[in-house]
Amino acid sequence: MNDLIVSLVSHDELTRRGEGPLRRTLDSLSAAMAYLARKKPGVDVYVACCDDASADGTPDCIERYFQGKDWFKLVRNRVNHSIGFSRNSAAAQFDTDLVCLLDADDE
């Protein structure tokens, strides 16, 4: 069982605000992962991102950013659902007791 999963939901982030904010969100997430690795050695942390049927290339950008990371999974909704549905879809990717939810405007 994994110790913690971080769920990030994405929906048309590039269309609304450009690639800069998305890049900052992904950089912040990577920094948080590095911090957890230093402060909580032995704790397994995984990231699941659910793209809520965006049509602007956001999921491709996210997938390239995390390419080769075994602790990352991307879920792609075929149609737009609620944020709750997307968060649950992301959280279901790993067997864990703890889930941390992050949105693009969280720091």
Side-chain angles (χ1 to χ4, degrees), residues 28 102-107:
S28 293
L102 297 176
D103 294 312
D105 58 352
D106 292 338
E107 292 185 18

Side-chain angles (χ1 to χ4, degrees), residues 46-50 66 69-75 90 93-94:
Y46 295 86
V47 174
C49 177
C50 185
F66 290 113
K69 307 290 188 205
D70 60 350
W71 47 262
F72 176 79
K73 289 187 183 181
L74 176 64
V75 179
Q93 298 305 302
F94 298 101

Side-chain angles (χ1 to χ4, degrees), residues 5-23:
I5 179 175
V6 178
S7 169
L8 176 69
V9 176
S10 164
H11 175 69
D12 289 331
E13 197 62 34
L14 294 178
T15 299
R16 288 185 291 144
R17 300 189 300 177
E19 189 170 338
L22 175 63
R23 171 64 68 167

Side-chain angles (χ1 to χ4, degrees), residues 18-84:
E19 189 170 338
L22 175 63
R23 171 64 68 167
R24 285 191 297 277
T25 297
L26 297 176
D27 288 346
S28 293
L29 179 58
S30 290
M33 296 291 290
Y35 175 83
L36 285 170
R38 284 191 314 273
K39 294 295 184 177
K40 298 291 183 182
V43 172
D44 294 327
V45 180
Y46 295 86
V47 174
C49 177
C50 185
D51 174 66
D52 202 10
S54 63
D56 65 354
T58 297
D60 295 328
C61 184
I62 292 170
E63 205 162 52
R64 280 191 306 274
Y65 188 91
F66 290 113
Q67 185 175 11
K69 307 290 188 205
D70 60 350
W71 47 262
F72 176 79
K73 289 187 183 181
L74 176 64
V75 179
R76 294 181 187 230
N77 289 345
R78 292 186 179 154
V79 297
N80 185 269
H81 293 285
S82 68
I83 192 166

